[in-house]
């Protein structure tokens, strides 16, 4: 299984970016998909998550600014980031909790980070 994230870049404060993540490989069912971020020397924190039934949850710091959506047919998850702030600058990681075969376990998979830089 591979998770490929894209969409990071440089944007001015107040601007927007849309991150995309595609899960590929042998996938039977995906439970949750989400986004995390990790600044150097700090722990990786959840930014937004989306469950298979459509429920979403967000870190307090991004509520009202970020939205998460999924395309289950394409095994993709998106993170629309609006009103970006300099403190949003860091690497963003896509994650998925999925099973590869019927009856198999749900495991966590991570993509490589995509860098988001917000200039003041």
């Amino acid at each position: 299984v591979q998770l490929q994230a894209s969409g990071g870049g440089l944007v001015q404060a107040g601007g927007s970016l849309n991150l995309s993540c595609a899960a590929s490989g042998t996938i039977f069912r995906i439970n949750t998909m989400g986004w995390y971020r990790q600044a150097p020397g700090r722990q990786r924190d959840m930014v937004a998550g989306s469950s298979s039934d459509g429920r979403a949850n967000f870190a307090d710091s991004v509520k009202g600014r970020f939205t998460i959506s999924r395309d289950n047919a394409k095994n993709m998850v998106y993170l629309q980031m609006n009103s970006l702030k300099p403190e949003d600058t860091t690497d963003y990681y896509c994650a998925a909790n999925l099973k590869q075969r019927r009856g198999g376990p749900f495991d966590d998979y991570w993509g490589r980070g995509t860098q988001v830089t917000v200039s003041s």
Side-chain angles (χ1 to χ4, degrees):
V1 173
Q2 289 189 330
L3 273 65
Q4 182 66 49
S6 61
L10 172 64
V11 65
Q12 288 188 332
S16 298
L17 283 173
N18 188 45
L19 304 184
S20 300
C21 175
S24 61
T26 303
I27 299 171
F28 175 74
R29 182 172 297 161
I30 299 179
N31 182 15
T32 58
M33 298 188 81
W35 294 92
Y36 291 71
R37 63 188 181 187
Q38 183 174 24
R42 302 191 67 176
Q43 69 179 23
R44 189 170 294 183
D45 294 322
M46 190 274 292
V47 176
S50 175
S51 63
S52 57
D53 61 1
R55 288 176 295 167
N57 59 302
F58 299 90
D60 288 342
S61 58
V62 307
K63 283 180 180 177
R65 300 189 296 123
F66 292 9
T67 58
I68 188 170
S69 60
R70 283 172 64 166
D71 185 333
N72 291 325
K74 297 181 179 179
N75 292 334
M76 294 192 69
V77 63
Y78 307 92
L79 185 68
Q80 177 65 41
M81 305 185 293
N82 299 326
S83 303
L84 281 162
K85 304 176 181 180
E87 51 263 43
D88 294 318
T89 295
T90 191
D91 292 329
Y92 286 71
Y93 297 85
C94 169
N97 179 258
L98 61 88
K99 62 166 66 177
Q100 289 192 275
R101 56 182 176 84
R102 184 189 298 272
F106 280 99
D107 291 317
D108 293 330
Y109 294 84
W110 294 87
R112 292 185 177 181
T114 183
Q115 188 174 41
V116 170
T117 303
V118 184
S119 63
S120 57

